[in-house]
Amino acid sequence: MTRSRLPILFAMGLLSACVTPPNEREAPLDIRTVIARAKDRVYPCLVYVKPIREEYSSGEKLKQEVAGSGVVIDPSGLVVTNDHVVEKATRIECVLFNERQVSARIRGEDPETDLALLQLELPDDLKATPLPAAAWGDSTRMREGDFVMALGSPFGFTRSISLGILSNTRRYIGFQTRYKYSLWFQTDAAINPGNSGGPLVNTDGEIIGINTLGTFLAEGIGFAIPADTAREITERLRRDGRVLRAWTGIELQPLADFEHNTFFEAETGVKVAGVETDSPAQAAGLQSGDLLLAVGETPVHGRYVEDLPAIRRLLAALPPDRPASLRVRRGDPPQEFNLTVTPRLKGKLEGEDFDCARWDMTVKEISKFGNPYIAFYRPQGVFVQGVKYDGNAFESGLMPFDILLRIDGRPIETLADVKTVYRELLTNARREKKALVEILRKGYRQFVVLDYTRDRKKEREE
Amino acid sequence: MTHSPTGGAWRRPTRRPRWPLALALAAALPTPLSGGEADNGAPQRQPAARAMKTAEEAPSGRAGAEALDDAAFNARIRAVARDAFVTVHVTFRKDPAELQPPAPYHARYEDQGPEDLAREIAHRFVDDCRTLDLPGLWIDAAGTVLVTDLGFPTKLIDRIEVRTGDGKTIAAEPHAVLRDAPGWRLAARATGPCPAPAFADPGPVTPDMELTASWIEEIDGVWSISFGPLGGATLPLSGAPHPAWFRLGGGGGAPLPPPGPWGEVGNATGLTDRPLHLLFDHNAVPVGVALHERLPLAPEAPATWRGPAVQHGPAVTFEALRTLERKVIEAADRQVAEVKLTFRMTAPEDDADYRPRGSAPYLRDPFASPEEGRERTVYGLAVAPRRLLVPLGLNESLAARIERIDVALPGRESFVPGRFLGAFKAFAGFLVETDQDLAEPPPDLFAIEILPRVRPIATLRVVHKYGRRTSVFGYARILERQRGYRNRLADLPEPPLAPGTLLFDLDGRPAGFVATLRRDDEKVRALRDPDRGAYTAPWESGLHAEDNRLFRFRDIRDALEHPETAFDPDIRVKTKFEERRLVWLGIEYCLLNRELTRHLGIENPTKSGQIGVMIVDVYDGSPASRLGLRDGDILLAVREAGGQEPVELRFHEGDHAGFGMRYVGSAPPPESEEELWLAEPPWHSQRTPLNLLLTSIGKGKPVILTCLVGGKVIEKELVLEEGPPDYESTDRKKHEPTGLTVRGLTYEVRKALKLPPEAPGVVVSKVEEGSPAAVAKIHPYDVIQRVQGTAVDSPAGLVAAFESACAAGINTVKVQTLRLDRTRFVDLRFDMEVPAERIGKPGSEN
């Protein structure tokens, strides 16, 4: 797991349950029969996903093998899994029910909901017969207490099943994580690392969730993405390869904010806690303290924090090419504001990485959404992600989270700038192997002379 | 400590040329001086000196004296010397009040003075069962022995034995202190007449005078007589009859045994330079003694050397000294009051992150550790019924923190309040004033005109030791003078005296005091060279003894009568916030290093990165912006206008807390971005070494900045001004019911948080655990912008908003907070239980 922002939650996978044919639902069920039938429907669709990913946080590019799970949702070989399983993967191998290992490629990713769609690259002999695919269930009909099963590969133990119930069907975990666009299922079916991306299945053998997170030091607290969310996102990924969301810059706060023990006097609507600087909302004239009543024709109800994802989705769906009307109460009577989302759609959640191997450091593009603290100082640019602790960058005095402003006098605005300078400096054999780097460290400028005279990797190999 | 065991008061090195010819030892004398003359034929006298004396050239004063040949001369001298010299063996005992010498680190808590050295040394002798052995001289037949002034308090002496040349051992007691020579008379219980030399009057001193000195020294356990001519006379150039000074270089003095405790005794008390010589004229007639390595022979010279004068001259008995001690201490009980200073301590949260860890004196906080204590007790002499003079140093940062002063006389139960009047510019001392008549000043404070040379001066130190007032009496002599600061002659007392010592004449009249001299440029000196900043270490008396001076009260009469002109305007009591206000230039900077300066091609002006800082940001409206300084300009040095040497900006990473610089011993880098933000405040402390340096120089002072701009070294003039309040010095308020402590949004905070000058808000500096603010998840460094929809502009405004809500019966207020770029609303409730002792103080200042 690379999400350092999730101290307690981590991704897992769950096994999913079995299916009962309709005419037998009313009869008292033998739990073993139920499990067996559900399992039979989904078990063949289970995939063990093994990506090789590149990891940049330690100051050098390292390859890591990650294990997760997925489920086939289309006979052509589309597999749903979690984004955190396959992000930054350079190669993905999947093990199918018939013990065949095939490669896969990413068809689309959505980090905001932690979903990814893979396309299995089936060899010819497997293309002939359609793959068994699991069916989506209706997650809105699930209730707390319903039996569910989690399928997946916890700790690499492939094709495992665990059984539990739904502990909660409307869980908001946006405080501890960045998942602010959806609610989650909470279950006590065992979810462990390796379960990530696997299906959570009801007694009918339908996918009603995608197992994603566990809770550190807790037992029986795991989270899955509800099927309706997963289905919708998967469709968009299949169609567009990504999910575009509009960014308005509105910070929402529920009317009854138990997290902060803060409550607002209003029956409907949602509180605008703040408006980000230089955002479409600011340009439209919204202010913190406003009560947002409707987006377009749709009234908004944000009483509890669990209501916020739906509102956010509403705002995220605003079209980029025409203004939308927001009805707001700021005093009486309510006012209308026109908000235009162009041209900024919400960009990448995480910037791209680059390994400056000779300098023994890795850099990353600043992403406003992925690196809010760094982006505060410089919304666009490149920062030092990791520094090897006996490397050239470290010895020269560079530290993680330093923002690069200039290297060798050349301004650094994008990752491409870094790559260009890096290659030019390294290929110029005549110049001395030192470069002046101007950085922003916690908002204050400093200068460092990066000395890369030593080729430490070579030294280690010799 | 005035002395350290290994160092010592400054002494001019004594030249002791060793005569290659073996002048020592015509007669080898087994311990002690016993008979037997083995004349090994070595010439005893420099032929050249003798050769001068022909009958025609015989000095006029001694016309007709017989001319002696060398052998007879030597024999006569030896004979007299052998009888006259004795060896004196002092056995010490421990001061029952001080069984253990204090460990060095205790010195910070209790006053140390020179007498403690004596005690320490005594321990070495007592613990090692050793005696102090030195030469003595019979000076009369009744058994009076002359020795050099030992300088020890007699209570440390257990017994004294005198051993004669013919093998007798006689007990002796200290009898008197010579008034006009640095010596003691011992009274030996001799049973028969003692072979004192028959001194003759040497007549007037002329440049042609020839004297031979003899002495005894212990070599390999054997005391032997040596003699040799005195070194050449030094006369002023005018040629008129003037005091003639002889150095005892010729004979080599009477060196004391080499190092070990003995050597330290010698170094510390000056005994090394205090030989005991018996002087003979050219006819081998004893004429005088020498008790000091430099011998002024003229009639009006301060130190007695002529034999008859030594024999019969005035002396002060130890008994009389004890009487004087009682008299002086009694008077001091009426005239010297206890002054208890209570200092303001800073709260740990204010300083922990921001105290720079440098060695430069303006960075040093003498009360850095809580062990130092908030209170110091010192003693002041009444110079007027309501004014006390305390001859101890208080530097700016200490004086600024005086919270209260309480004064009491011994025997009185209660203290009366006092106030700090000011500290003097010329010396390290300050005046305290009370509202009621407290003590009687000595009636004849300004009577004494001179501090006499050689003559004993009584000294009194009133100190606070082991929790109570202790008066330490002693005496010292001014034997030498030396040129010091501004070429002025300074008296060098022996033993060296600690600041705070009061001086009296032998009748008990006040004469003066000892204080550390202050120099005009001491602040800048200290800034430039930390080791020489004597004044910046106020409680370390005599750190550099050469800066301790003897002052007569007459010297400071004007200063006492018109203190306002004599006071240093920079040393005064300040409020907590005044104290923290900084002089500023208005820049953010980064340090240079060798690589960087090489890369930028600025090695030369920055001395390879050792000096200079590079500007990386300039605050609007600041002195730097008005001077036209910009990013990339480099500041090299600063000096006060008026031509002194500049202070180079020589800063170290370690002095910059919170700059996020990597230096040895620093914490590992943060793991996550959030940690990056939360670990330290997002802004730099303005208590940078640069700002502290400028503050040390002082606001209002014109200075000249040496800068490197566009590759050229230029100078810019400006008058230092006090900056606007910064995070540490701005007002703050704590609101107990909510548990919030907030401070105003100062310029550097606004800049770091990208808040325009007009943006409202206060920044949270502390949140009490478990308080309503903590429950609402407000964190330090959040900004509170509005309360109940109304903008908040200042800490007082925040508290007022809370209070008015409370008064209106609202027990929950809505507060708008800002963190990074994120705004949030938060309910703060007042109705949570507040501990009883905090009720009634809702908006207390911290």
Side-chain angles (χ1 to χ4, degrees):
Chain A
M1 280 299 299
T2 57
R3 297 259 142 76
S4 60
R5 223 179 287 138
L6 309 176
I8 46 169
L9 301 175
F10 57 98
M12 303 172 134
L14 272 187
L15 276 185
S16 80
C18 36
V19 173
T20 357
N23 58 352
E24 290 180 23
R25 271 192 214 116
E26 288 77 19
L29 297 169
D30 172 3
I31 190 68
R32 288 173 300 175
T33 315
V34 166
I35 290 173
R37 275 193 278 194
K39 178 207 118 203
D40 287 340
R41 282 189 67 178
V42 184
Y43 215 48
C45 317
L46 189 62
V47 174
Y48 178 38
V49 180
K50 295 191 300 178
I52 310 273
R53 98 150 52 119
E54 286 176 338
E55 176 58 58
Y56 289 84
S57 63
S58 62
E60 54 180 335
K61 184 167 75 174
L62 293 176
K63 288 203 194 300
Q64 262 183 0
E65 192 174 7
V66 185
S69 314
V71 59
V72 178
I73 53 159
D74 185 280
S76 64
L78 286 177
V79 169
V80 171
T81 180
N82 279 141
D83 173 64
H84 72 258
V85 173
V86 296
E87 62 174 357
K88 300 196 207 168
T90 49
R91 212 176 81 211
I92 304 174
E93 299 291 322
C94 296
V95 181
L96 308 179
F97 75 102
N98 51 13
E99 312 290 348
R100 291 288 295 274
Q101 175 155 311
V102 301
S103 300
R105 64 178 170 83
I106 299 175
R107 185 76 181 256
E109 286 173 277
D110 182 31
E112 301 259 39
T113 50
D114 203 358
L115 285 166
L117 187 64
L118 303 179
Q119 172 68 62
L120 294 174
E121 278 153 1
L122 299 169
D124 292 329
D125 63 315
L126 286 182
K127 274 188 198 162
T129 37
L131 289 176
W136 292 106
D138 183 358
S139 58
T140 59
R141 292 181 55 199
M142 299 300 295
R143 296 286 172 267
E144 288 83 359
D146 286 351
F147 278 106
V148 289
M149 289 199 290
L151 286 87
S153 320
F155 292 107
F157 296 110
T158 59
R159 317 190 70 74
S160 308
I161 307 174
S162 62
L163 179 70
I165 59 164
L166 274 186
S167 310
N168 191 288
T169 58
R170 274 174 57 83
R171 183 63 71 208
Y172 179 78
I173 54 172
F175 294 122
Q176 303 95 319
T177 70
R178 65 178 186 200
Y179 304 122
K180 301 187 192 298
Y181 286 90
S182 55
L183 294 174
W184 294 69
F185 280 163
Q186 181 185 328
T187 175
D188 67 347
I191 294 190
N192 285 290
N195 275 118
S196 293
L200 187 68
V201 168
N202 63 11
T203 48
D204 291 331
E206 298 165 328
I207 304 173
I208 49 95
I210 300 291
N211 307 314
T212 307
L213 302 170
T215 306
F216 192 53
L217 288 184
E219 271 192 47
I221 302 183
F223 301 95
I225 306 167
D228 58 335
T229 306
R231 189 172 190 174
E232 181 209 331
I233 299 293
T234 311
E235 261 314 301
R236 290 172 76 169
L237 290 177
R238 187 214 285 248
R239 194 181 64 225
D240 306 322
R242 59 182 174 156
V243 177
L244 288 176
R245 293 183 176 87
W247 172 64
T248 57
I250 301 176
E251 290 155 23
L252 300 174
Q253 191 167 359
L255 301 177
D257 183 357
F258 294 106
E259 176 77 10
H260 301 103
N261 293 288
T262 300
F263 306 92
F264 299 94
E265 302 264 333
E267 290 305 316
T268 183
V270 68
K271 200 70 175 169
V272 176
V275 166
E276 289 183 48
T277 317
D278 296 332
S279 63
Q282 189 184 57
L286 270 82
Q287 290 174 10
S288 79
D290 288 344
L291 189 69
L292 179 64
L293 297 171
V295 175
E297 297 305 315
T298 316
V300 154
H301 305 288
R303 177 138 203 92
Y304 304 109
V305 75
E306 288 83 6
D307 300 326
L308 295 188
I311 304 173
R312 290 193 184 115
R313 286 199 296 273
L314 202 56
L315 291 169
L318 288 177
D321 51 356
R322 58 185 184 280
S325 163
L326 303 180
R327 191 158 71 250
V328 160
R329 170 167 292 131
R330 187 194 298 165
D332 265 322
Q335 312 173 38
E336 299 279 335
F337 289 88
N338 288 325
L339 183 138
T340 311
V341 169
T342 60
R344 278 181 73 175
L345 292 174
K346 200 161 174 183
K348 278 204 288 195
L349 273 201
E350 201 180 313
E352 214 185 300
D353 311 277
F354 179 62
D355 180 17
C356 305
R358 183 60 196 278
W359 295 345
D360 301 309
M361 73 179 191
T362 49
V363 299
K364 194 187 190 68
E365 263 178 339
I366 297 172
S367 151
K368 181 178 152 56
F369 305 101
N371 314 107
Y373 295 97
I374 295 180
F376 175 74
Y377 295 117
R378 193 167 154 93
Q380 189 187 346
V382 180
F383 71 100
V384 176
Q385 184 184 169
V387 161
K388 264 192 81 111
Y389 286 106
D390 61 346
N392 289 323
F394 176 76
E395 293 293 331
S396 302
L398 285 170
M399 283 171 43
F401 309 123
D402 287 345
I403 299 173
L404 300 172
L405 295 177
R406 278 177 196 274
I407 302 179
D408 203 38
R410 317 253 278 279
I412 302 292
E413 310 271 349
T414 64
L415 199 67
D417 294 337
V418 174
K419 290 179 183 173
T420 311
V421 172
Y422 177 72
R423 280 191 207 107
E424 281 180 18
L425 288 178
L426 257 53
T427 49
N428 185 344
R430 272 199 309 247
R431 62 164 287 149
E432 109 182 303
K433 295 188 173 30
K434 293 181 187 179
L436 183 68
V437 180
E438 183 180 334
I439 57 170
L440 204 62
R441 183 173 287 166
K442 282 198 69 174
Y444 293 93
R445 280 169 52 215
Q446 279 182 43
F447 294 87
V448 164
V449 174
L450 175 58
D451 182 343
Y452 54 99
T453 316
R454 286 173 68 177
D455 185 347
R456 294 179 193 248
K457 192 164 165 208
K458 212 160 132 192
E459 283 171 15
R460 267 177 262 131
E461 284 160 10
E462 277 163 7
Chain B
M1 287 283 292
T2 313
H3 306 94
S4 65
T6 52
W10 175 92
R11 304 296 301 169
R12 193 163 38 77
T14 310
R15 260 187 304 121
R16 250 189 268 285
R18 297 275 158 216
W19 285 76
L21 312 171
L23 294 173
L25 215 38
L29 303 162
T31 321
L33 304 164
S34 59
E37 316 179 25
D39 188 345
N40 55 19
Q44 306 306 321
R45 211 162 35 152
Q46 191 185 33
R50 180 73 175 133
M52 256 172 67
K53 296 295 167 282
T54 61
E56 303 87 66
E57 293 169 33
S60 50
R62 277 179 277 130
E66 48 177 310
L68 295 173
D69 67 2
D70 284 357
F73 184 87
N74 296 346
R76 194 184 284 196
I77 286 183
R78 270 206 311 278
V80 174
R82 193 184 325 121
D83 286 339
F85 276 111
V86 294
T87 57
V88 176
H89 306 269
V90 182
T91 308
F92 291 99
R93 61 161 169 253
K94 294 190 181 182
D95 180 350
E98 298 281 356
L99 289 180
Q100 305 290 335
Y105 51 83
H106 286 158
R108 281 164 54 193
Y109 304 118
E110 302 288 347
D111 281 278
Q112 295 280 317
E115 68 278 3
D116 301 285
L117 174 69
R119 187 176 62 238
E120 251 186 72
I121 304 275
H123 278 291
R124 294 180 209 262
F125 285 95
V126 176
D127 290 339
D128 277 356
C129 299
R130 296 181 54 166
T131 53
L132 175 64
D133 303 330
L134 20 86
L137 196 69
W138 295 117
I139 55 171
D140 65 25
T144 307
V145 175
L146 177 72
V147 290
T148 187
D149 188 335
L150 288 179
F152 294 117
T154 50
K155 66 179 177 180
L156 296 179
I157 296 175
D158 189 32
R159 64 180 186 279
I160 300 181
E161 280 175 356
V162 169
R163 286 184 208 149
T164 65
D166 53 359
K168 288 203 281 247
T169 300
I170 306 172
E173 273 117 34
H175 172 63
V177 170
L178 285 181
R179 202 189 67 173
D180 296 323
W184 277 10
R185 288 190 192 137
L186 308 176
R189 298 191 216 126
T191 49
C194 304
F199 287 109
D201 192 324
V205 171
T206 67
D208 299 328
M209 190 170 219
E210 242 187 49
L211 291 175
T212 303
S214 69
W215 67 92
I216 58 170
E217 54 183 330
E218 189 180 10
I219 299 174
D220 289 345
V222 171
W223 284 91
S224 321
I225 303 176
S226 305
F227 50 92
L230 285 186
T234 311
L235 286 176
L237 293 173
S238 68
H242 281 287
W245 288 78
F246 281 77
R247 247 186 192 280
L248 299 181
L256 299 168
W262 211 171
E264 286 152 16
V265 170
N267 282 340
T269 59
L271 285 178
T272 328
D273 300 325
R274 299 226 224 99
L276 176 61
H277 290 236
L278 180 58
L279 302 176
F280 296 87
D281 68 6
H282 64 285
N283 288 324
V285 173
V287 291
V289 298
L291 286 161
H292 194 265
E293 60 144 1
R294 284 177 22 160
L295 186 69
L297 298 180
E300 59 274 15
T304 294
W305 64 279
R306 292 161 193 266
V310 172
Q311 283 176 314
H312 310 297
V316 182
T317 62
F318 286 101
E319 190 55 49
L321 276 179
R322 282 191 281 278
T323 306
L324 178 63
E325 176 177 358
R326 281 193 293 276
K327 179 177 175 186
V328 163
I329 291 181
E330 254 174 45
D333 281 352
R334 293 188 309 274
Q335 295 157 359
V336 175
E338 175 179 335
V339 177
K340 189 163 72 168
L341 300 159
T342 304
F343 294 96
R344 182 175 61 228
M345 296 296 290
T346 49
E349 60 133 4
D350 293 335
D351 285 335
D353 293 326
Y354 293 137
R355 185 177 309 127
R357 297 168 276 277
S359 61
Y362 49 85
L363 296 175
R364 269 193 248 129
D365 181 352
F367 278 77
S369 72
E371 303 148 28
E372 286 284 3
R374 288 183 71 203
E375 288 177 5
R376 288 296 293 217
T377 298
V378 294
Y379 292 87
L381 174 70
V383 293
R386 296 189 187 182
R387 285 201 183 165
L388 299 168
L389 168 69
V390 180
L392 289 174
L394 260 190
N395 66 12
E396 258 184 79
S397 70
L398 270 182
R401 290 193 200 187
I402 292 176
E403 202 170 68
R404 54 182 289 169
I405 298 182
D406 298 296
V407 183
L409 272 187
R412 298 221 198 142
E413 285 304 318
S414 61
F415 283 83
V416 305
R419 75 178 152 278
F420 178 82
L421 264 190
F424 291 98
K425 274 190 285 213
F427 61 92
F430 58 98
L431 284 184
V432 169
E433 189 170 68
T434 55
D435 279 336
Q436 25 180 302
D437 289 1
L438 182 75
E440 47 176 273
D444 39 7
L445 192 62
F446 304 115
I448 302 289
E449 292 202 20
I450 52 163
L451 294 174
R453 298 282 295 277
V454 184
R455 201 167 287 206
I457 302 172
T459 63
L460 182 73
R461 281 184 79 225
V462 183
V463 295
H464 200 71
K465 194 163 176 125
Y466 304 138
R468 63 167 197 189
R469 176 179 176 134
T470 307
S471 300
V472 182
F473 178 86
Y475 72 87
R477 299 179 194 261
I478 300 170
L479 292 176
E480 286 196 44
R481 290 171 144 184
Q482 188 195 6
R483 283 203 188 275
Y485 183 60
R486 291 200 185 281
N487 272 335
R488 293 191 198 128
L489 278 178
D491 297 324
L492 294 182
E494 274 184 42
L497 298 172
T501 307
L502 299 171
L503 309 171
F504 303 84
D505 68 359
L506 289 173
D507 295 319
R509 290 180 301 169
F513 60 95
V514 180
T516 307
L517 183 72
R518 290 190 64 189
R519 301 156 191 261
D520 297 337
D521 65 341
E522 70 185 9
K523 241 206 286 198
V524 179
R525 267 172 151 238
L527 295 175
R528 205 180 316 118
D529 184 355
D531 291 334
R532 297 184 68 198
Y535 192 68
T536 58
W539 303 113
E540 294 174 36
S541 53
L543 191 63
H544 301 277
E546 78 215 52
D547 286 334
N548 293 335
R549 290 285 185 274
L550 277 55
F551 292 86
R552 296 171 304 162
F553 288 113
R554 277 174 83 109
D555 290 336
I556 63 165
R557 186 172 198 160
D558 272 346
L560 289 178
E561 286 171 0
H562 306 286
E564 311 73 38
T565 49
F567 282 158
D568 184 332
D570 291 336
I571 300 183
R572 58 191 174 85
V573 180
K574 296 180 189 164
T575 63
K576 200 164 57 152
F577 300 117
E578 246 184 301
E579 187 198 344
R580 289 196 194 132
R581 285 292 285 273
L582 291 171
V583 167
W584 77 326
L585 196 54
I587 62 165
E588 295 288 345
Y589 62 85
C590 72
L591 296 184
L592 302 174
N593 57 51
R594 186 187 188 145
E595 267 306 323
L596 186 57
T597 54
R598 207 173 65 80
H599 221 86
L600 298 172
I602 53 171
E603 274 190 284
N604 191 272
T606 63
K607 298 189 184 175
S608 289
Q610 285 181 70
I611 67 169
V613 296
M614 184 188 298
I615 298 177
V616 294
D617 210 358
V618 177
Y619 287 99
D620 292 336
S622 65
S625 75
R626 291 198 297 270
L627 279 180
L629 290 171
R630 297 190 312 211
D631 294 3
D633 292 346
I634 293 178
L635 303 177
L636 296 172
V638 61
R639 73 170 193 276
E640 281 189 68
Q644 286 135 3
E645 293 164 48
V647 179
E648 293 173 333
L649 302 185
R650 203 179 272 262
F651 301 144
H652 306 286
E653 270 189 26
D655 297 336
H656 295 79
F659 271 34
M661 296 186 187
R662 179 172 72 89
Y663 49 93
V664 175
S666 68
E671 301 259 312
S672 66
E673 291 174 49
E674 200 158 349
E675 214 183 287
L676 185 76
W677 184 275
L678 290 179
E680 287 167 337
W683 51 85
H684 279 173
S685 166
Q686 292 303 295
R687 302 198 107 53
T688 57
L690 176 66
N691 285 345
L692 289 174
L693 169 61
L694 297 177
T695 308
S696 287
I697 294 176
K699 73 174 179 192
K701 302 262 169 68
V703 296
I704 303 197
L705 279 178
T706 310
C707 319
L708 185 61
V709 173
K712 288 211 284 270
V713 177
I714 60 172
E715 288 190 343
K716 287 188 184 276
E717 289 184 31
L718 76 151
V719 175
L720 293 180
E721 46 184 85
E722 200 171 66
D726 60 293
Y727 182 76
E728 278 96 333
S729 68
T730 189
D731 58 329
R732 70 203 64 178
K733 290 247 185 264
K734 182 170 184 181
H735 187 245
E736 289 280 359
T738 51
L740 278 172
T741 306
V742 295
R743 303 186 191 196
L745 280 175
T746 51
Y747 65 94
E748 83 278 23
V749 175
R750 279 184 190 274
K751 188 137 197 193
L753 298 181
K754 300 189 184 174
L755 293 170
E758 63 278 2
V762 291
V763 62
V764 175
S765 61
K766 192 169 172 195
V767 176
E768 293 289 344
E769 278 188 32
S771 65
V775 164
K777 302 223 171 50
I778 298 181
H779 300 294
Y781 317 136
D782 284 353
V783 174
I784 295 180
Q785 294 186 304
R786 285 170 192 276
V787 172
Q788 298 290 80
T790 311
V792 163
D793 276 319
S794 64
L798 180 80
V799 171
F802 286 156
E803 284 175 345
S804 70
C806 208
I810 302 172
N811 67 359
T812 305
V813 293
K814 209 150 236 74
V815 160
Q816 182 180 331
T817 64
L818 174 71
R819 184 182 191 82
L820 274 184
D821 222 9
R822 306 243 154 95
T823 312
R824 188 160 64 80
F825 289 95
V826 153
D827 282 344
L828 276 182
R829 300 174 55 148
F830 297 153
D831 56 356
M832 293 178 59
E833 190 144 324
V834 175
E837 63 270 14
R838 287 183 174 177
I839 290 175
K841 297 197 283 181
S844 55
E845 272 197 49
N846 222 16

